[in-house]
């Protein structure tokens, strides 16, 4: 039987009820990193709306790993307890609760988008940020001071991801995703644009990929064997005129992440540098990256699932991705902001065997 958008997908012993995933989308609405009723309603409504996997926004593994002072975090037990009602409600609606574990690296310490999204200084609301080197992100305004992580500090970052995963598990999440995309810390180590180290974490492909492999393995070690680990990457830096991270390196990395314990690769793009050259956007404009990596995995006989993102807005479009084996899941971001009930409407349009909650059935 051909897989479809509404066929289940089993990863390890966890069954995703369908192939629709709510993409991590920052809400910039967390006082001291704590989830609030906003997160319960925001994420809970997408579960009610029929998504198979509902993922939190980027959730910082330590305070300096936040993008903004208002970012969600999971660096303490209190943070996990604040997130537990979200995970419980998503599960009660038949969805799989997921969390993205993140560290913003040198792109941390900025104001919220609706407040300008500019860099914040330590003497104000900001803090010193960290990265592979002390080169700051090239903002138009003065960047906060950037500290190059030494080897001992890298070890503490790995531990922070592992401890965050343990807290996420205690909060009831069933999927942990490692955020290694969009110019944040792990991506900064991957890309030669931002990584000019000369130790075992810089230089060669093996060295530049070491940190994301170690973080993935550390999360896998504390995550239950029956539950999946995802990794989100930027397949390309969109910087064709300089040495940078590209799709070929992403395809090469994918089997290594599988060996480290990842079960699904969430394929996005860009974010490392403001000079990026984004191709013309449109329906499914990033899907070819996921498709290329998935084909490479199949050629290498690696049974790793792949998720596609980018301009996925229509049920038939999402269905085509799955039926034509271009991706294993469709990951929707902005469309879920516009329409929390995309899953229910897609099931109705595709005549799928999926029912809305009993409270909503008279509307379908």
């Amino acid at each position: 039987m051909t897989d479809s958008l509404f066929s289940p997908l089993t990863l390890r012993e966890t069954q995703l009820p369908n192939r629709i995933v709510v993409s991590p989308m920052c809400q910039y609405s967390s006082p001291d990193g704590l989830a609030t009723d906003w997160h319960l309603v925001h994420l809970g409504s997408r579960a009610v709306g029929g998504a198979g996997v509902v993922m939190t926004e980027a959730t910082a593994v330590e305070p300096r790993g936040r993008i903004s002072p208002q970012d969600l975090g999971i660096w303490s037990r209190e943070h996990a307890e604040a997130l537990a009602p979200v995970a419980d409600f998503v599960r009660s609606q038949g969805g799989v609760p997921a969390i993205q574990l993140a560290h913003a690296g040198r792109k941390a310490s900025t104001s919220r988008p609706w407040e300008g999204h500019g860099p914040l200084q330590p003497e104000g609301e900001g803090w010193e940020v960290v990265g592979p080197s002390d080169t700051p992100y090239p903002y138009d305004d003065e960047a906060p001071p950037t500290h190059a992580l030494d080897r001992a500090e890298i070890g503490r970052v790995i531990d922070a991801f592992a401890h965050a995963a343990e807290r996420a598990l205690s909060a009831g999440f069933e999927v942990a995703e490692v955020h290694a995309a969009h110019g944040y810390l792990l991506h900064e180590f991957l890309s030669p644009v931002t990584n000019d180290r000369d130790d075992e974490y810089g230089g060669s492909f093996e060295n530049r990929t070491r940190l994301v492999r170690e973080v993935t393995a550390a999360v896998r070690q504390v995550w239950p064997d029956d539950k999946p680990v995802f990794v989100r990457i930027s397949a390309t830096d969109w910087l064709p005129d300089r040495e940078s991270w590209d799709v070929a390196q992403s395809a090469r990395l994918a089997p290594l992440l599988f060996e480290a314990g990842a079960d699904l690769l969430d394929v996005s793009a860009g974010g490392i540098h403001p000079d990026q050259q984004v191709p013309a956007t449109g329906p499914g404009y990033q899907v070819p990256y996921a498709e290329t990596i998935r084909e490479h995995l199949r050629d290498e006989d690696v049974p790793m699932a792949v998720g596609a993102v980018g301009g996925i807005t229509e049920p038939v479009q999402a269905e085509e991705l799955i039926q034509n084996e271009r991706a294993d899941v469709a990951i929707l971001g902005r469309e879920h902001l516009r329409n929390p009930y995309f899953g229910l409407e897609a099931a109705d349009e595709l005549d799928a065997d999926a029912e809305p909650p009993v409270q909503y059935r008279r509307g379908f």
Side-chain angles (χ1 to χ4, degrees):
M1 182 177 179
T2 302
D3 288 332
S4 69
L5 189 63
F6 285 91
S7 61
L9 175 64
T10 300
L11 298 173
R12 294 187 179 253
E13 296 176 34
T14 299
Q15 187 177 80
L16 316 187
N18 60 53
R19 310 299 182 95
I20 300 171
V21 178
V22 176
S23 187
M25 292 177 285
C26 288
Q27 300 297 294
Y28 306 101
S29 301
S30 305
D32 299 319
L34 295 168
T36 68
D37 287 346
W38 176 266
H39 299 87
L40 177 61
V41 174
H42 165 65
L43 295 168
S45 62
R46 276 75 192 165
V48 170
V53 178
V54 178
M55 191 173 295
T56 71
E57 64 199 80
T59 308
V61 300
E62 62 174 6
R64 67 181 177 178
R66 293 170 293 168
I67 304 167
S68 81
Q70 296 83 18
D71 273 20
L72 191 62
I74 191 163
W75 60 80
S76 77
R77 180 183 299 176
E78 183 183 9
H79 290 87
E81 291 171 349
L83 279 163
V86 175
D88 288 345
F89 185 79
V90 170
R91 188 180 303 102
S92 76
Q93 300 306 304
V96 175
I99 186 168
Q100 186 184 69
L101 305 176
H103 196 300
R106 72 176 193 164
K107 289 180 75 175
S109 190
T110 67
S111 60
R112 293 184 284 194
W114 55 86
E115 295 171 344
H117 211 23
L120 298 173
Q121 300 302 323
E123 57 269 21
E125 288 187 89
W127 55 91
E128 180 185 69
V129 302
V130 300
S133 73
D134 60 5
T135 303
Y137 186 81
Y139 297 106
D140 291 336
D141 298 322
E142 182 184 358
T146 304
H147 168 71
L149 292 168
D150 64 28
R151 295 175 190 178
E153 290 169 323
I154 288 173
R156 290 194 285 274
V157 167
I158 296 169
D159 289 343
F161 272 93
H163 294 322
E166 291 175 320
R167 296 184 197 103
L169 184 64
S170 73
F173 289 96
E174 298 179 31
V175 173
E177 176 169 276
V178 174
H179 193 1
H182 301 158
Y184 300 122
L185 184 64
L186 301 186
H187 184 190
E188 292 163 15
F189 274 81
L190 288 174
S191 176
V193 172
T194 45
N195 187 344
D196 58 4
R197 299 174 70 98
D198 58 6
D199 63 2
E200 66 267 37
Y201 288 96
S204 68
F205 171 87
E206 180 183 6
N207 287 352
R208 286 184 284 109
T209 63
R210 189 181 306 278
L211 181 56
V212 69
R213 292 185 284 112
E214 290 180 341
V215 167
T216 301
V219 171
R220 176 77 272 168
Q221 187 171 8
V222 301
W223 205 246
D225 288 342
D226 61 342
K227 300 183 188 301
V229 170
F230 295 2
V231 178
R232 170 166 273 197
I233 64 167
S234 283
T236 172
D237 288 340
W238 281 328
L239 292 167
D241 299 330
R242 69 177 78 176
E243 184 183 6
S244 61
W245 185 258
D246 57 23
V247 178
Q249 291 174 87
S250 293
R252 185 179 171 189
L253 173 63
L256 302 179
L257 292 175
F258 180 78
E259 291 177 9
D263 304 286
L264 182 143
L265 194 67
D266 174 353
V267 181
S268 188
I272 200 73
H273 196 280
D275 288 345
Q276 65 183 16
Q277 300 173 37
V278 182
T281 59
Y285 73 106
Q286 294 183 54
V287 171
Y289 307 139
E291 185 175 16
T292 297
I293 293 169
R294 190 179 188 277
E295 288 175 355
H296 176 76
L297 287 165
R298 297 303 173 265
D299 289 343
E300 297 293 318
D301 199 26
V302 177
M304 187 183 202
V306 174
V309 309
I312 303 171
T313 61
E314 300 292 338
V316 171
Q317 178 193 16
E319 174 78 357
E320 179 271 334
L321 295 178
I322 309 304
Q323 283 210 11
N324 291 328
E325 299 184 343
R326 303 180 73 194
D328 298 286
V329 299
I331 305 172
L332 287 77
R334 288 175 174 82
E335 185 59 26
H336 270 123
L337 293 181
R338 292 185 286 267
N339 182 6
Y341 307 106
F342 175 87
L344 297 181
E345 294 184 6
D348 195 42
E349 180 175 326
L350 299 171
D351 196 24
D353 185 19
E355 290 190 345
V358 64
Q359 299 95 328
Y360 283 12
R361 287 179 188 167
R362 64 183 180 270
F364 290 84

